[in-house]
Amino acid sequence: MKILHAKLLLGSMLITLSINPIALNAQGCVAIRHFSSCVGNSLENNLLGKGDLQIGMNYRYFKSFRHFRGTEEESDRVTNNTEVINHSHAWDFFLTYGISERFYTSITIPTVINARSSLYEHGREERNSTFSRGLADIRAGVGYWLLDPIKHSDGNMAVGIGIKLPTGNYNATDIFYNVGPEGSPEVRPVDQSIQPGDGGFGLTVDFQFYKKMTTGLFAYGGGFYLLNPRETNGIRTFRETLSPLLENEAIMAVPDQYSVRTGLSYSLSNALSTSLGARFDAVPVKDLIGGNEGFRRPGNVLSIEPGLAYFLHNLTLNLNVPFAVRRDRPQSVTDRQTEISTGTPRNGDAAFADYLINFGISYRFTKSKTMEIDPSLMDTFN
């Protein structure tokens, strides 16, 4: 029999712990960038024996178009055809390696293709689209299981730390129409929400856990926080050309980001499992470290997240589709500054998606030694 790490949770909780999520590519106009934990995209990917190697890919897609100001939807934007529409595709290619039975390390190489359609960015005269594509910000990190996974197969917790490198282009440009002299087109940076990178070195901390509730049923959870100490990246937004009141939003910020999720996973058979959980993804109004100047669209999304996973030997497939149940675009620092200076209430808006599609595939190369395992565990972990 393979070491328990190679079987643990397969078929019972192949839960994608990515903040791949409603988070993390830009969630519409909210700059919740495509991002996942630096040290593996699922519990199963991180339960490795010494020398085991897991490779895989996670794909994510969403269409954002529903505008919110605070928690109130501005449904007239869709009715009047003035909504901003983002189509986002992202592919995370990852490799996770078991340093020991409790330590593991991982690297994630993300790529993106984004399209953004709007009126207000093109002189408010006609709808046009801008595009971005390419490598996003690479992440790498290490993680550690607090308990011996062999001795504590009914529950465990892992903690991790990682870095985010500014490898993605944070000054991607495209043609904007009706904005130059006499209504001519101009090449400008695309909106912050579809920039492949954010221009900052980041530090991530994350955790994940599982707990056996009964035969075939597990509770799971996890989350991460991305600290981006850099305040702004020097890239112009051109928002000040829309209104003099937006002068304080002329340069893009490099915001923090975080996500948490929890739920239950149930084994339907030796090869198929299902899950149902909740997740909360956010770009905060203020960073934990560094300043808060520059333009950001803070926002958060609470979602219900059903999932399905299938495995065959060392191959794993999983599908998660989070559905938004609450969306919030809170007042930003620059909103508050404008409100104070003008005496007029201000809260910017942002566009959100109704749901996301997350699909993952991975394959494990096992070098672990064999060992004896209590046969009663095999019904749960096979």
Side-chain angles (χ1 to χ4, degrees):
M1 291 182 289
K2 300 295 186 182
I3 193 169
L4 179 60
H5 297 65
K7 295 294 185 182
L8 189 58
L9 306 183
L10 286 177
S12 63
M13 57 181 307
L14 296 174
I15 308 301
T16 304
L17 281 175
S18 57
I19 257 244
N20 68 42
I22 294 184
L24 314 171
N25 217 330
Q27 172 65 15
C29 291
V30 180
I32 304 176
R33 312 200 61 78
H34 178 75
F35 202 83
S36 57
S37 171
C38 290
V39 285
N41 294 308
S42 74
L43 288 168
E44 184 270 335
N45 290 341
N46 296 332
L47 283 160
L48 299 169
K50 182 178 180 180
D52 287 358
L53 182 68
Q54 189 96 2
I55 61 172
M57 181 276 297
N58 286 290
Y59 167 75
R60 180 180 174 200
Y61 167 77
F62 69 80
K63 171 190 174 182
S64 64
F65 66 100
R66 295 195 185 277
H67 285 255
F68 283 78
R69 198 179 303 270
T71 57
E72 298 297 321
E73 182 181 359
E74 298 182 322
S75 56
D76 61 303
R77 294 291 297 273
V78 175
T79 303
N80 297 331
N81 196 36
T82 61
E83 80 277 24
V84 176
I85 304 171
N86 278 12
H87 290 275
S88 178
H89 303 265
W91 295 262
D92 276 2
F93 299 92
F94 68 88
L95 182 152
T96 306
Y97 177 76
I99 301 173
S100 71
E101 293 181 353
R102 294 170 72 171
F103 273 105
Y104 53 92
T105 185
S106 183
I107 184 170
T108 300
I109 302 175
T111 59
V112 297
I113 297 177
N114 300 312
R116 178 178 173 86
S117 168
S118 71
L119 281 168
Y120 85 91
E121 293 174 312
H122 302 276
R124 303 184 187 275
E125 296 182 10
E126 59 183 2
R127 180 177 290 274
N128 283 291
S129 296
T130 51
F131 302 88
S132 66
R133 66 180 63 198
L135 178 69
D137 291 342
I138 293 175
R139 292 95 67 181
V142 295
Y144 179 72
W145 290 100
L146 300 182
L147 304 175
D148 186 333
I150 298 177
K151 297 179 181 179
H152 300 274
S153 58
D154 60 344
N156 208 339
M157 175 178 283
V159 294
I161 188 170
I163 58 172
K164 175 185 67 68
L165 305 176
T167 52
N169 184 4
Y170 57 96
N171 189 23
T173 60
D174 206 342
I175 298 174
F176 290 77
Y177 296 89
N178 309 307
V179 296
E182 299 180 355
S184 62
E186 280 190 356
V187 175
R188 294 179 174 181
V190 297
D191 186 78
Q192 183 182 55
S193 66
I194 65 169
Q195 289 287 345
D198 63 20
F201 283 91
L203 173 68
T204 65
V205 290
D206 69 84
F207 75 97
Q208 48 191 306
F209 71 86
Y210 63 91
K211 176 63 178 178
K212 181 180 178 181
M213 309 302 290
T214 187
T215 301
L217 180 66
F218 279 82
Y220 69 89
F224 78 89
Y225 194 98
L226 165 65
L227 297 98
N228 262 326
R230 187 175 184 181
E231 186 173 22
T232 59
N233 61 19
I235 303 304
R236 188 178 174 188
T237 66
F238 285 86
R239 290 181 62 80
E240 77 281 5
T241 65
L242 302 175
S243 169
L245 296 178
L246 301 180
E247 182 65 34
N248 59 350
E249 297 183 352
I251 303 297
M252 295 183 190
V254 186
D256 287 0
Q257 180 177 317
Y258 67 90
S259 177
V260 292
R261 61 197 295 256
T262 188
L264 295 172
S265 172
Y266 182 71
S267 177
L268 299 175
S269 70
N270 288 340
L272 190 66
S273 68
T274 185
S275 63
L276 181 64
R279 64 184 301 152
F280 185 80
D281 305 301
V283 168
V285 174
K286 295 183 178 181
D287 293 348
L288 288 182
I289 301 175
N292 302 294
E293 296 299 318
F295 174 63
R296 76 173 71 191
R297 295 187 185 95
N300 57 77
V301 183
L302 175 64
S303 304
I304 299 299
E305 182 180 28
L308 190 66
Y310 173 81
F311 77 96
L312 177 65
H313 304 301
N314 289 350
L315 178 68
T316 302
L317 306 174
N318 56 65
L319 175 68
N320 295 71
V321 185
F323 292 88
V325 295
R326 181 185 183 275
R327 288 158 280 197
D328 180 20
R329 200 298 201 180
Q331 185 182 53
S332 67
V333 170
T334 51
D335 287 339
R336 180 59 179 163
Q337 290 171 348
T338 302
E339 181 177 298
I340 293 173
S341 65
T342 63
T344 302
R346 173 170 173 77
N347 194 133
D349 73 312
F352 294 81
D354 285 339
Y355 63 90
L356 286 81
I357 298 174
N358 294 312
F359 173 75
I361 181 171
S362 64
Y363 188 85
R364 180 189 298 262
F365 298 91
T366 303
K367 293 185 178 180
S368 306
K369 296 180 181 179
T370 61
M371 63 173 294
E372 292 298 325
I373 302 175
D374 184 343
S376 66
L377 296 178
M378 300 311 294
D379 287 340
T380 301
F381 298 126
N382 259 340

